[in-house]
Amino acid sequence: MMEREFAHILARYGQDVTVYTEITPEGTILRAFFQPMRDKGTEQTVPSPMGQVKQDRFIYLGPPECALDDTCRVQVQGEVYRVQTAQPICVGGTVSHWWAVLTRRAKEVAG
């Protein structure tokens, strides 16, 4: 029951994203919620050898049939993101949807 309701909400209010997995390297277009993560009182930066580096994080809520893990990539409006962490959200023992934190994938340097 909840799966149908969540699917209806995604269809109406979600946005098109493409998920690339090892099983579907050509990508699967689906509807999901995708928005910047709001960390109260903290900057979205991480330490690096070059000092603090901005690392924007985004929340992803997607359909139960598209499992995410750290090998997946998600493309939204031409930008590619990597999965930092993901987990299924269950309601009554059934996966309702997938929750994930995504970060921008580093641009590849030609060389």
Side-chain angles (χ1 to χ4, degrees):
M1 179 89 165
M2 285 293 291
E3 304 86 34
R4 280 185 297 161
E5 292 170 0
F6 191 72
H8 178 70
I9 291 168
L10 282 178
R12 184 166 182 177
Y13 300 108
Q15 61 184 316
D16 288 336
V17 303
T18 305
V19 177
Y20 300 92
T21 66
E22 291 177 344
I23 297 170
T24 59
E26 69 281 358
T28 302
I29 298 173
L30 50 88
R31 303 283 286 181
F33 290 116
F34 177 83
Q35 64 183 32
M37 186 176 204
R38 302 287 181 218
D39 290 334
K40 204 172 199 177
T42 62
E43 295 280 331
Q44 290 197 30
T45 59
V46 293
S48 80
M50 301 296 285
Q52 294 289 328
V53 176
K54 186 172 180 169
Q55 184 175 22
D56 293 332
R57 296 184 302 163
F58 299 84
I59 295 289
Y60 166 96
L61 299 174
E65 61 273 6
C66 189
L68 297 181
D69 62 31
D70 61 358
T71 65
C72 298
R73 292 174 292 127
V74 179
Q75 184 174 4
V76 182
Q77 297 178 350
E79 270 305 313
V80 179
Y81 301 85
R82 67 178 184 80
V83 176
Q84 186 175 12
T85 185
Q87 63 185 359
I89 303 300
C90 296
V91 176
T94 303
V95 176
S96 165
H97 61 283
W98 276 84
W99 172 92
V101 175
L102 308 178
T103 56
R104 274 196 179 91
R105 187 171 173 199
K107 299 221 187 297
E108 317 231 330
V109 178

